[in-house]
Amino acid sequence: MLVRLLIGGVTLAAAGFAAKEYCEENGCPWDDEITPSPSYEHKQEKEPEEKVSYEKALDFHKRKKELYKASMKTYREFLEQHGIEDNTLCTTTKLLKQKFPDSIIDDDIESCMEKITNILEILSYNLALNIKFVALDENSKVNEKNLKLIQNYAKNIYALAHAAFFIDTPSGDVITKFTMSDSFYSDKLNKGGLLTVLVEAMSLSVRKESIHVDLSEKSDENSVA
């Protein structure tokens, strides 16, 4: 029995060797019938999705934030110094980041963004200048006219910095996440609200103010001396 198994094994090995040699020279006859498994087929690479850019909106927010924070800090210190309360606005309110894509910014929106930052710069300058040279009355209190002007500057700076560009019409919430196509948000632009804050602020931002200090009396004293 053992002899038969050994002979059978030798025969099988010889047959296998012969088949291998035949395939190497002529190719195996069953190769043509084999089709590659779908899992090994070359998969077509997907085209990379276009990257969404928010550069313009982020630069706009950064500039607004710098001017807003500096102005509110100056105004808050002014109120504390003179013991004045202003319940019309909260000087510690943080700005909500409105991160809308560059692709949605047309000429009108870009112009509006530019106007807001330019007006904010002028109002911030005028606010700081009037606070620095604040006029006091005979009771060492801030002159009413001067106080009203300073408060108007602060009020308009706050309104411009917080002006919402896109609003959800039913709820009135500011849209900060843009997951739909640009055309979907075309009717969500807060045109009326933006125009209102711009028109009101423009009357205070025609130009940067300058403070003229009258030194005539001191000059006369020095000449007498």
Side-chain angles (χ1 to χ4, degrees), residues 125 129-130 133 135 207-216:
Y125 174 88
L129 191 65
N130 277 272
F133 296 99
R207 60 182 174 82
K208 288 185 177 181
E209 292 185 1
S210 58
I211 302 296
H212 300 280
V213 181
D214 187 5
L215 301 176
S216 58

Side-chain angles (χ1 to χ4, degrees), residues 62-75 95 115-132 149-150 152-161 201 204-209:
K62 181 180 178 182
R63 184 60 181 147
K64 276 199 313 177
K65 186 178 179 180
E66 289 173 351
L67 294 167
Y68 171 72
K69 285 183 68 176
S71 297
M72 290 299 104
K73 182 176 182 292
T74 301
Y75 183 57
L95 287 185
K115 284 185 174 67
I116 286 178
T117 51
N118 288 342
I119 294 174
L120 273 175
E121 184 178 354
I122 295 174
L123 293 183
S124 299
Y125 174 88
N126 289 346
L127 172 71
L129 191 65
N130 277 272
I131 287 178
K132 185 175 181 180
L149 182 59
I150 290 173
N152 279 338
Y153 282 136
K155 173 188 172 185
N156 282 275
I157 289 170
Y158 184 96
L160 280 173
L204 289 172
S205 63
V206 176
R207 60 182 174 82
K208 288 185 177 181
E209 292 185 1

Side-chain angles (χ1 to χ4, degrees), residues 153-222:
Y153 282 136
K155 173 188 172 185
N156 282 275
I157 289 170
Y158 184 96
L160 280 173
H162 288 273
F165 271 74
F166 298 92
I167 291 182
D168 180 53
T169 307
S171 64
D173 295 335
V174 178
I175 300 175
T176 56
K177 293 184 178 180
F178 292 76
T179 57
M180 307 293 285
S181 62
D182 293 351
S183 59
F184 175 80
Y185 299 100
S186 58
D187 62 339
K188 312 254 182 220
L189 181 64
N190 183 26
K191 293 182 180 178
L194 291 170
L195 183 61
T196 299
V197 294
L198 280 171
V199 169
E200 190 171 347
M202 280 179 181
S203 61
L204 289 172
S205 63
V206 176
R207 60 182 174 82
K208 288 185 177 181
E209 292 185 1
S210 58
I211 302 296
H212 300 280
V213 181
D214 187 5
L215 301 176
S216 58
E217 293 183 4
K218 289 187 179 181
S219 299
D220 292 340
E221 291 175 2
N222 291 335

Side-chain angles (χ1 to χ4, degrees), residues 59-124:
D59 286 345
F60 174 62
H61 177 80
K62 181 180 178 182
R63 184 60 181 147
K64 276 199 313 177
K65 186 178 179 180
E66 289 173 351
L67 294 167
Y68 171 72
K69 285 183 68 176
S71 297
M72 290 299 104
K73 182 176 182 292
T74 301
Y75 183 57
R76 186 166 59 250
E77 290 174 349
F78 161 75
L79 295 176
E80 292 172 355
Q81 180 184 353
H82 297 282
I84 301 171
E85 290 186 8
D86 186 355
N87 299 320
T88 61
L89 59 86
C90 180
T91 59
T92 57
T93 303
K94 293 183 178 180
L95 287 185
L96 181 66
K97 184 180 289 186
Q98 299 170 54
K99 188 180 174 183
F100 41 88
D102 291 349
S103 56
I104 209 171
I105 301 175
D106 56 19
D107 291 341
D108 290 336
I109 296 176
E110 192 159 16
S111 175
C112 190
M113 290 164 62
E114 186 177 353
K115 284 185 174 67
I116 286 178
T117 51
N118 288 342
I119 294 174
L120 273 175
E121 184 178 354
I122 295 174
L123 293 183
S124 299

